[in-house]
PDB file of all heavy atoms in Angstrom:
ATOM      1  N   VAL M  40     -46.139 -16.545  53.005  1.00  0.00           N
ATOM      2  CA  VAL M  40     -45.347 -17.811  53.210  1.00  0.00           C
ATOM      3  C   VAL M  40     -43.932 -17.697  52.398  1.00  0.00           C
ATOM      4  O   VAL M  40     -42.969 -18.050  53.022  1.00  0.00           O
ATOM      5  CB  VAL M  40     -46.117 -19.056  52.496  1.00  0.00           C
ATOM      6  CG1 VAL M  40     -45.207 -20.318  52.587  1.00  0.00           C
ATOM      7  CG2 VAL M  40     -47.299 -19.261  53.531  1.00  0.00           C
ATOM      8  N   ALA M  43     -41.559 -15.387  54.336  1.00  0.00           N
ATOM      9  CA  ALA M  43     -41.136 -16.017  55.529  1.00  0.00           C
ATOM     10  C   ALA M  43     -39.946 -17.101  55.216  1.00  0.00           C
ATOM     11  O   ALA M  43     -39.050 -17.251  55.955  1.00  0.00           O
ATOM     12  CB  ALA M  43     -42.323 -16.589  56.389  1.00  0.00           C
ATOM     13  N   GLY M  56     -37.615 -20.442  68.441  1.00  0.00           N
ATOM     14  CA  GLY M  56     -38.778 -19.420  68.120  1.00  0.00           C
ATOM     15  C   GLY M  56     -38.959 -19.154  66.679  1.00  0.00           C
ATOM     16  O   GLY M  56     -40.198 -19.045  66.179  1.00  0.00           O
ATOM     17  N   ALA M  57     -37.916 -19.025  65.994  1.00  0.00           N
ATOM     18  CA  ALA M  57     -38.069 -18.772  64.557  1.00  0.00           C
ATOM     19  C   ALA M  57     -38.632 -19.912  63.752  1.00  0.00           C
ATOM     20  O   ALA M  57     -39.362 -19.810  62.843  1.00  0.00           O
ATOM     21  CB  ALA M  57     -36.665 -18.440  63.970  1.00  0.00           C
ATOM     22  N   LYS M  58     -38.197 -21.078  64.115  1.00  0.00           N
ATOM     23  CA  LYS M  58     -38.709 -22.414  63.422  1.00  0.00           C
ATOM     24  C   LYS M  58     -40.141 -22.507  63.710  1.00  0.00           C
ATOM     25  O   LYS M  58     -40.939 -22.927  62.790  1.00  0.00           O
ATOM     26  CB  LYS M  58     -37.973 -23.636  64.017  1.00  0.00           C
ATOM     27  CG  LYS M  58     -36.484 -23.615  63.514  1.00  0.00           C
ATOM     28  CD  LYS M  58     -35.772 -24.801  64.148  1.00  0.00           C
ATOM     29  CE  LYS M  58     -34.153 -24.864  63.711  1.00  0.00           C
ATOM     30  NZ  LYS M  58     -33.692 -26.027  64.368  1.00  0.00           N
ATOM     31  N   VAL M  59     -40.682 -22.229  64.960  1.00  0.00           N
ATOM     32  CA  VAL M  59     -41.999 -22.371  65.257  1.00  0.00           C
ATOM     33  C   VAL M  59     -42.852 -21.216  64.474  1.00  0.00           C
ATOM     34  O   VAL M  59     -43.980 -21.660  63.935  1.00  0.00           O
ATOM     35  CB  VAL M  59     -42.313 -22.148  66.718  1.00  0.00           C
ATOM     36  CG1 VAL M  59     -43.802 -22.061  67.074  1.00  0.00           C
ATOM     37  CG2 VAL M  59     -41.767 -23.491  67.494  1.00  0.00           C
ATOM     38  N   LEU M  60     -42.366 -20.099  64.372  1.00  0.00           N
ATOM     39  CA  LEU M  60     -42.958 -18.968  63.731  1.00  0.00           C
ATOM     40  C   LEU M  60     -43.078 -19.429  62.096  1.00  0.00           C
ATOM     41  O   LEU M  60     -44.244 -19.193  61.691  1.00  0.00           O
ATOM     42  CB  LEU M  60     -42.247 -17.728  63.713  1.00  0.00           C
ATOM     43  CG  LEU M  60     -42.808 -16.567  62.914  1.00  0.00           C
ATOM     44  CD1 LEU M  60     -44.116 -16.150  63.326  1.00  0.00           C
ATOM     45  CD2 LEU M  60     -41.833 -15.269  62.989  1.00  0.00           C
ATOM     46  N   LEU M  61     -42.118 -19.848  61.591  1.00  0.00           N
ATOM     47  CA  LEU M  61     -42.135 -20.244  60.140  1.00  0.00           C
ATOM     48  C   LEU M  61     -43.227 -21.153  59.937  1.00  0.00           C
ATOM     49  O   LEU M  61     -44.027 -21.180  59.058  1.00  0.00           O
ATOM     50  CB  LEU M  61     -40.862 -20.792  59.746  1.00  0.00           C
ATOM     51  CG  LEU M  61     -40.800 -21.371  58.340  1.00  0.00           C
ATOM     52  CD1 LEU M  61     -41.012 -20.089  57.430  1.00  0.00           C
ATOM     53  CD2 LEU M  61     -39.445 -21.983  57.973  1.00  0.00           C
ATOM     54  N   LEU M  62     -43.334 -22.249  60.853  1.00  0.00           N
ATOM     55  CA  LEU M  62     -44.416 -23.245  60.759  1.00  0.00           C
ATOM     56  C   LEU M  62     -45.856 -22.743  60.824  1.00  0.00           C
ATOM     57  O   LEU M  62     -46.677 -22.975  60.085  1.00  0.00           O
ATOM     58  CB  LEU M  62     -44.195 -24.315  61.853  1.00  0.00           C
ATOM     59  CG  LEU M  62     -45.270 -25.341  61.939  1.00  0.00           C
ATOM     60  CD1 LEU M  62     -45.228 -26.241  60.541  1.00  0.00           C
ATOM     61  CD2 LEU M  62     -45.040 -26.357  63.119  1.00  0.00           C
ATOM     62  N   LEU M  63     -45.911 -21.772  61.807  1.00  0.00           N
ATOM     63  CA  LEU M  63     -47.265 -20.994  62.021  1.00  0.00           C
ATOM     64  C   LEU M  63     -47.650 -20.110  60.702  1.00  0.00           C
ATOM     65  O   LEU M  63     -48.776 -20.257  60.323  1.00  0.00           O
ATOM     66  CB  LEU M  63     -47.269 -20.004  63.122  1.00  0.00           C
ATOM     67  CG  LEU M  63     -46.958 -20.746  64.513  1.00  0.00           C
ATOM     68  CD1 LEU M  63     -47.031 -19.647  65.613  1.00  0.00           C
ATOM     69  CD2 LEU M  63     -47.836 -22.005  64.707  1.00  0.00           C
ATOM     70  N   VAL M  64     -46.805 -19.496  60.042  1.00  0.00           N
ATOM     71  CA  VAL M  64     -47.008 -18.737  58.904  1.00  0.00           C
ATOM     72  C   VAL M  64     -47.361 -19.670  57.805  1.00  0.00           C
ATOM     73  O   VAL M  64     -48.287 -19.389  56.988  1.00  0.00           O
ATOM     74  CB  VAL M  64     -45.644 -17.856  58.618  1.00  0.00           C
ATOM     75  CG1 VAL M  64     -45.989 -17.282  57.098  1.00  0.00           C
ATOM     76  CG2 VAL M  64     -45.357 -16.899  59.485  1.00  0.00           C
ATOM     77  N   ILE M  65     -46.629 -20.831  57.616  1.00  0.00           N
ATOM     78  CA  ILE M  65     -46.968 -21.806  56.583  1.00  0.00           C
ATOM     79  C   ILE M  65     -48.471 -22.434  56.724  1.00  0.00           C
ATOM     80  O   ILE M  65     -49.151 -22.455  55.786  1.00  0.00           O
ATOM     81  CB  ILE M  65     -45.892 -22.918  56.536  1.00  0.00           C
ATOM     82  CG1 ILE M  65     -44.632 -22.334  56.039  1.00  0.00           C
ATOM     83  CG2 ILE M  65     -46.316 -24.042  55.648  1.00  0.00           C
ATOM     84  CD1 ILE M  65     -43.439 -23.405  56.182  1.00  0.00           C
ATOM     85  N   ILE M  66     -48.702 -22.752  58.025  1.00  0.00           N
ATOM     86  CA  ILE M  66     -50.003 -23.297  58.270  1.00  0.00           C
ATOM     87  C   ILE M  66     -51.161 -22.157  57.948  1.00  0.00           C
ATOM     88  O   ILE M  66     -52.130 -22.514  57.251  1.00  0.00           O
ATOM     89  CB  ILE M  66     -50.226 -23.705  59.730  1.00  0.00           C
ATOM     90  CG1 ILE M  66     -49.352 -24.892  59.915  1.00  0.00           C
ATOM     91  CG2 ILE M  66     -51.586 -23.976  60.086  1.00  0.00           C
ATOM     92  CD1 ILE M  66     -49.201 -25.219  61.491  1.00  0.00           C
ATOM     93  N   TRP M  67     -50.968 -20.997  58.331  1.00  0.00           N
ATOM     94  CA  TRP M  67     -51.908 -19.965  58.082  1.00  0.00           C
ATOM     95  C   TRP M  67     -51.973 -19.651  56.740  1.00  0.00           C
ATOM     96  O   TRP M  67     -53.118 -19.509  56.112  1.00  0.00           O
ATOM     97  CB  TRP M  67     -51.538 -18.601  58.858  1.00  0.00           C
ATOM     98  CG  TRP M  67     -52.451 -17.392  58.480  1.00  0.00           C
ATOM     99  CD1 TRP M  67     -53.516 -17.105  58.939  1.00  0.00           C
ATOM    100  CD2 TRP M  67     -52.018 -16.418  57.678  1.00  0.00           C
ATOM    101  NE1 TRP M  67     -54.043 -15.945  58.209  1.00  0.00           N
ATOM    102  CE2 TRP M  67     -53.040 -15.544  57.529  1.00  0.00           C
ATOM    103  CE3 TRP M  67     -50.818 -16.198  56.785  1.00  0.00           C
ATOM    104  CZ2 TRP M  67     -53.044 -14.396  56.605  1.00  0.00           C
ATOM    105  CZ3 TRP M  67     -50.809 -15.133  55.941  1.00  0.00           C
ATOM    106  CH2 TRP M  67     -51.840 -14.330  55.898  1.00  0.00           C
ATOM    107  N   GLY M  68     -50.960 -19.412  55.869  1.00  0.00           N
ATOM    108  CA  GLY M  68     -50.897 -19.084  54.486  1.00  0.00           C
ATOM    109  C   GLY M  68     -51.368 -20.161  53.607  1.00  0.00           C
ATOM    110  O   GLY M  68     -52.246 -19.817  52.780  1.00  0.00           O
ATOM    111  N   LEU M  69     -51.135 -21.401  53.828  1.00  0.00           N
ATOM    112  CA  LEU M  69     -51.726 -22.555  53.069  1.00  0.00           C
ATOM    113  C   LEU M  69     -53.129 -22.746  53.266  1.00  0.00           C
ATOM    114  O   LEU M  69     -53.949 -22.987  52.308  1.00  0.00           O
ATOM    115  CB  LEU M  69     -50.929 -23.706  53.284  1.00  0.00           C
ATOM    116  CG  LEU M  69     -49.464 -23.931  52.831  1.00  0.00           C
ATOM    117  CD1 LEU M  69     -48.972 -25.223  53.135  1.00  0.00           C
ATOM    118  CD2 LEU M  69     -49.408 -23.584  51.384  1.00  0.00           C
ATOM    119  N   ARG M  70     -53.692 -22.520  54.520  1.00  0.00           N
ATOM    120  CA  ARG M  70     -55.030 -22.767  54.812  1.00  0.00           C
ATOM    121  C   ARG M  70     -55.809 -21.642  54.056  1.00  0.00           C
ATOM    122  O   ARG M  70     -56.883 -21.851  53.450  1.00  0.00           O
ATOM    123  CB  ARG M  70     -55.363 -22.590  56.274  1.00  0.00           C
ATOM    124  CG  ARG M  70     -56.766 -22.937  56.666  1.00  0.00           C
ATOM    125  CD  ARG M  70     -57.375 -22.017  57.782  1.00  0.00           C
ATOM    126  NE  ARG M  70     -57.581 -20.631  57.391  1.00  0.00           N
ATOM    127  CZ  ARG M  70     -58.774 -20.163  56.783  1.00  0.00           C
ATOM    128  NH1 ARG M  70     -59.692 -21.084  56.470  1.00  0.00           N
ATOM    129  NH2 ARG M  70     -58.712 -18.945  56.511  1.00  0.00           N
ATOM    130  N   PHE M 122     -41.467 -10.212  59.990  1.00  0.00           N
ATOM    131  CA  PHE M 122     -40.741 -11.545  59.963  1.00  0.00           C
ATOM    132  C   PHE M 122     -39.287 -11.405  60.049  1.00  0.00           C
ATOM    133  O   PHE M 122     -38.579 -12.290  60.537  1.00  0.00           O
ATOM    134  CB  PHE M 122     -40.976 -12.341  58.517  1.00  0.00           C
ATOM    135  CG  PHE M 122     -42.379 -12.712  58.462  1.00  0.00           C
ATOM    136  CD1 PHE M 122     -43.001 -12.892  57.258  1.00  0.00           C
ATOM    137  CD2 PHE M 122     -43.300 -13.005  59.588  1.00  0.00           C
ATOM    138  CE1 PHE M 122     -44.407 -13.283  57.057  1.00  0.00           C
ATOM    139  CE2 PHE M 122     -44.729 -13.341  59.415  1.00  0.00           C
ATOM    140  CZ  PHE M 122     -45.177 -13.531  58.180  1.00  0.00           C
ATOM    141  N   TRP M 132     -35.988 -19.060  72.887  1.00  0.00           N
ATOM    142  CA  TRP M 132     -37.378 -19.063  73.148  1.00  0.00           C
ATOM    143  C   TRP M 132     -37.636 -18.149  74.355  1.00  0.00           C
ATOM    144  O   TRP M 132     -36.770 -17.937  75.178  1.00  0.00           O
ATOM    145  CB  TRP M 132     -37.790 -20.467  73.636  1.00  0.00           C
ATOM    146  CG  TRP M 132     -39.349 -20.657  73.632  1.00  0.00           C
ATOM    147  CD1 TRP M 132     -40.099 -20.641  74.806  1.00  0.00           C
ATOM    148  CD2 TRP M 132     -40.151 -20.824  72.521  1.00  0.00           C
ATOM    149  NE1 TRP M 132     -41.341 -20.901  74.481  1.00  0.00           N
ATOM    150  CE2 TRP M 132     -41.440 -20.995  73.231  1.00  0.00           C
ATOM    151  CE3 TRP M 132     -39.953 -21.046  71.140  1.00  0.00           C
ATOM    152  CZ2 TRP M 132     -42.623 -21.224  72.372  1.00  0.00           C
ATOM    153  CZ3 TRP M 132     -40.966 -21.193  70.478  1.00  0.00           C
ATOM    154  CH2 TRP M 132     -42.392 -21.450  70.962  1.00  0.00           C
ATOM    155  N   ASP M 136     -43.018 -15.758  73.124  1.00  0.00           N
ATOM    156  CA  ASP M 136     -43.428 -16.846  72.149  1.00  0.00           C
ATOM    157  C   ASP M 136     -44.718 -17.540  72.496  1.00  0.00           C
ATOM    158  O   ASP M 136     -45.598 -17.926  71.714  1.00  0.00           O
ATOM    159  CB  ASP M 136     -42.308 -17.697  71.931  1.00  0.00           C
ATOM    160  CG  ASP M 136     -41.020 -16.998  71.338  1.00  0.00           C
ATOM    161  OD1 ASP M 136     -41.297 -15.828  70.613  1.00  0.00           O
ATOM    162  OD2 ASP M 136     -39.913 -17.388  71.732  1.00  0.00           O
ATOM    163  N   TYR M 137     -44.826 -17.858  73.782  1.00  0.00           N
ATOM    164  CA  TYR M 137     -45.900 -18.615  74.371  1.00  0.00           C
ATOM    165  C   TYR M 137     -47.161 -17.698  74.239  1.00  0.00           C
ATOM    166  O   TYR M 137     -48.294 -18.265  73.777  1.00  0.00           O
ATOM    167  CB  TYR M 137     -45.773 -18.897  75.857  1.00  0.00           C
ATOM    168  CG  TYR M 137     -44.742 -19.988  76.151  1.00  0.00           C
ATOM    169  CD1 TYR M 137     -43.622 -19.649  76.783  1.00  0.00           C
ATOM    170  CD2 TYR M 137     -44.998 -21.300  75.848  1.00  0.00           C
ATOM    171  CE1 TYR M 137     -42.598 -20.563  77.096  1.00  0.00           C
ATOM    172  CE2 TYR M 137     -44.026 -22.362  76.072  1.00  0.00           C
ATOM    173  CZ  TYR M 137     -42.910 -21.935  76.747  1.00  0.00           C
ATOM    174  OH  TYR M 137     -41.885 -22.899  77.021  1.00  0.00           O
ATOM    175  N   LEU M 138     -47.053 -16.520  74.338  1.00  0.00           N
ATOM    176  CA  LEU M 138     -48.211 -15.524  74.105  1.00  0.00           C
ATOM    177  C   LEU M 138     -48.562 -15.407  72.748  1.00  0.00           C
ATOM    178  O   LEU M 138     -49.725 -15.533  72.312  1.00  0.00           O
ATOM    179  CB  LEU M 138     -47.819 -14.137  74.670  1.00  0.00           C
ATOM    180  CG  LEU M 138     -48.989 -12.941  74.418  1.00  0.00           C
ATOM    181  CD1 LEU M 138     -50.215 -13.404  75.236  1.00  0.00           C
ATOM    182  CD2 LEU M 138     -48.382 -11.674  75.060  1.00  0.00           C
ATOM    183  N   GLY M 139     -47.543 -15.390  71.823  1.00  0.00           N
ATOM    184  CA  GLY M 139     -47.805 -15.333  70.408  1.00  0.00           C
ATOM    185  C   GLY M 139     -48.471 -16.519  69.870  1.00  0.00           C
ATOM    186  O   GLY M 139     -49.420 -16.508  69.117  1.00  0.00           O
ATOM    187  N   LEU M 140     -48.095 -17.681  70.382  1.00  0.00           N
ATOM    188  CA  LEU M 140     -48.721 -18.977  70.049  1.00  0.00           C
ATOM    189  C   LEU M 140     -50.186 -19.079  70.496  1.00  0.00           C
ATOM    190  O   LEU M 140     -50.965 -19.573  69.712  1.00  0.00           O
ATOM    191  CB  LEU M 140     -47.944 -20.260  70.628  1.00  0.00           C
ATOM    192  CG  LEU M 140     -48.215 -21.557  70.226  1.00  0.00           C
ATOM    193  CD1 LEU M 140     -47.989 -21.753  68.602  1.00  0.00           C
ATOM    194  CD2 LEU M 140     -47.421 -22.593  70.972  1.00  0.00           C
ATOM    195  N   LEU M 141     -50.426 -18.635  71.691  1.00  0.00           N
ATOM    196  CA  LEU M 141     -51.764 -18.550  72.269  1.00  0.00           C
ATOM    197  C   LEU M 141     -52.783 -17.605  71.293  1.00  0.00           C
ATOM    198  O   LEU M 141     -53.873 -18.001  70.842  1.00  0.00           O
ATOM    199  CB  LEU M 141     -51.905 -18.035  73.633  1.00  0.00           C
ATOM    200  CG  LEU M 141     -53.280 -17.977  74.265  1.00  0.00           C
ATOM    201  CD1 LEU M 141     -53.939 -19.333  74.091  1.00  0.00           C
ATOM    202  CD2 LEU M 141     -53.197 -17.395  75.606  1.00  0.00           C
ATOM    203  N   ILE M 142     -52.177 -16.423  70.945  1.00  0.00           N
ATOM    204  CA  ILE M 142     -52.949 -15.461  70.284  1.00  0.00           C
ATOM    205  C   ILE M 142     -53.191 -16.005  68.824  1.00  0.00           C
ATOM    206  O   ILE M 142     -54.288 -15.888  68.248  1.00  0.00           O
ATOM    207  CB  ILE M 142     -52.226 -14.034  70.240  1.00  0.00           C
ATOM    208  CG1 ILE M 142     -52.296 -13.463  71.635  1.00  0.00           C
ATOM    209  CG2 ILE M 142     -52.980 -13.139  69.242  1.00  0.00           C
ATOM    210  CD1 ILE M 142     -51.480 -12.214  71.832  1.00  0.00           C
ATOM    211  N   TRP M 143     -52.079 -16.515  68.366  1.00  0.00           N
ATOM    212  CA  TRP M 143     -52.191 -17.153  66.804  1.00  0.00           C
ATOM    213  C   TRP M 143     -53.321 -18.226  66.811  1.00  0.00           C
ATOM    214  O   TRP M 143     -54.084 -18.339  65.972  1.00  0.00           O
ATOM    215  CB  TRP M 143     -50.900 -17.795  66.423  1.00  0.00           C
ATOM    216  CG  TRP M 143     -50.784 -18.339  65.210  1.00  0.00           C
ATOM    217  CD1 TRP M 143     -50.733 -17.811  63.945  1.00  0.00           C
ATOM    218  CD2 TRP M 143     -50.983 -19.773  64.909  1.00  0.00           C
ATOM    219  NE1 TRP M 143     -50.752 -18.849  62.909  1.00  0.00           N
ATOM    220  CE2 TRP M 143     -50.946 -20.026  63.472  1.00  0.00           C
ATOM    221  CE3 TRP M 143     -51.386 -20.777  65.717  1.00  0.00           C
ATOM    222  CZ2 TRP M 143     -51.169 -21.389  63.010  1.00  0.00           C
ATOM    223  CZ3 TRP M 143     -51.519 -22.065  65.216  1.00  0.00           C
ATOM    224  CH2 TRP M 143     -51.388 -22.298  63.889  1.00  0.00           C
ATOM    225  N   ALA M 144     -53.213 -19.172  67.869  1.00  0.00           N
ATOM    226  CA  ALA M 144     -54.252 -20.320  67.939  1.00  0.00           C
ATOM    227  C   ALA M 144     -55.690 -19.740  67.992  1.00  0.00           C
ATOM    228  O   ALA M 144     -56.510 -20.267  67.312  1.00  0.00           O
ATOM    229  CB  ALA M 144     -53.927 -21.257  69.024  1.00  0.00           C
ATOM    230  N   LEU M 147     -56.483 -18.230  64.495  1.00  0.00           N
ATOM    231  CA  LEU M 147     -56.689 -19.188  63.490  1.00  0.00           C
ATOM    232  C   LEU M 147     -58.057 -19.955  63.603  1.00  0.00           C
ATOM    233  O   LEU M 147     -58.813 -20.263  62.658  1.00  0.00           O
ATOM    234  CB  LEU M 147     -55.611 -20.281  63.373  1.00  0.00           C
ATOM    235  CG  LEU M 147     -55.626 -21.122  62.245  1.00  0.00           C
ATOM    236  CD1 LEU M 147     -55.179 -20.435  61.070  1.00  0.00           C
ATOM    237  CD2 LEU M 147     -54.691 -22.329  62.489  1.00  0.00           C
ATOM    238  N   VAL M 190     -54.104 -13.471  64.387  1.00  0.00           N
ATOM    239  CA  VAL M 190     -53.068 -14.111  63.897  1.00  0.00           C
ATOM    240  C   VAL M 190     -51.787 -13.286  63.703  1.00  0.00           C
ATOM    241  O   VAL M 190     -50.674 -13.680  64.082  1.00  0.00           O
ATOM    242  CB  VAL M 190     -53.350 -14.867  62.467  1.00  0.00           C
ATOM    243  CG1 VAL M 190     -52.103 -15.328  61.698  1.00  0.00           C
ATOM    244  CG2 VAL M 190     -54.239 -16.038  62.714  1.00  0.00           C
ATOM    245  N   GLY M 193     -50.376 -12.345  66.946  1.00  0.00           N
ATOM    246  CA  GLY M 193     -49.517 -13.439  67.270  1.00  0.00           C
ATOM    247  C   GLY M 193     -48.143 -13.549  66.679  1.00  0.00           C
ATOM    248  O   GLY M 193     -47.052 -13.811  67.382  1.00  0.00           O
ATOM    249  N   PHE M 194     -48.078 -13.321  65.514  1.00  0.00           N
ATOM    250  CA  PHE M 194     -46.797 -13.301  64.724  1.00  0.00           C
ATOM    251  C   PHE M 194     -45.931 -12.219  65.374  1.00  0.00           C
ATOM    252  O   PHE M 194     -44.672 -12.341  65.593  1.00  0.00           O
ATOM    253  CB  PHE M 194     -46.950 -12.969  63.152  1.00  0.00           C
ATOM    254  CG  PHE M 194     -47.594 -13.988  62.548  1.00  0.00           C
ATOM    255  CD1 PHE M 194     -48.161 -13.920  61.270  1.00  0.00           C
ATOM    256  CD2 PHE M 194     -47.532 -15.414  62.861  1.00  0.00           C
ATOM    257  CE1 PHE M 194     -48.820 -14.784  60.503  1.00  0.00           C
ATOM    258  CE2 PHE M 194     -48.016 -16.462  62.156  1.00  0.00           C
ATOM    259  CZ  PHE M 194     -48.739 -16.183  60.962  1.00  0.00           C
ATOM    260  N   PHE M 197     -43.739 -12.933  68.401  1.00  0.00           N
ATOM    261  CA  PHE M 197     -42.445 -13.609  68.188  1.00  0.00           C
ATOM    262  C   PHE M 197     -41.341 -12.689  67.853  1.00  0.00           C
ATOM    263  O   PHE M 197     -40.185 -12.957  68.132  1.00  0.00           O
ATOM    264  CB  PHE M 197     -42.606 -14.691  66.986  1.00  0.00           C
ATOM    265  CG  PHE M 197     -43.303 -15.909  67.489  1.00  0.00           C
ATOM    266  CD1 PHE M 197     -44.738 -15.952  67.466  1.00  0.00           C
ATOM    267  CD2 PHE M 197     -42.612 -17.105  67.953  1.00  0.00           C
ATOM    268  CE1 PHE M 197     -45.301 -17.276  67.936  1.00  0.00           C
ATOM    269  CE2 PHE M 197     -43.213 -18.294  68.203  1.00  0.00           C
ATOM    270  CZ  PHE M 197     -44.617 -18.239  68.225  1.00  0.00           C
TER     271      PHE M 197
END
Side-chain angles (χ1 to χ4, degrees):
V40 171
K58 292 176 182 177
V59 170
L60 174 64
L61 179 63
L62 178 61
L63 299 185
V64 175
I65 292 173
I66 292 173
W67 170 81
L69 290 182
R70 188 216 71 87
F122 298 151
W132 193 259
D136 297 330
Y137 290 109
L138 178 62
L140 188 58
L141 175 62
I142 295 174
W143 176 88
L147 189 69
V190 163
F194 291 157
F197 281 85

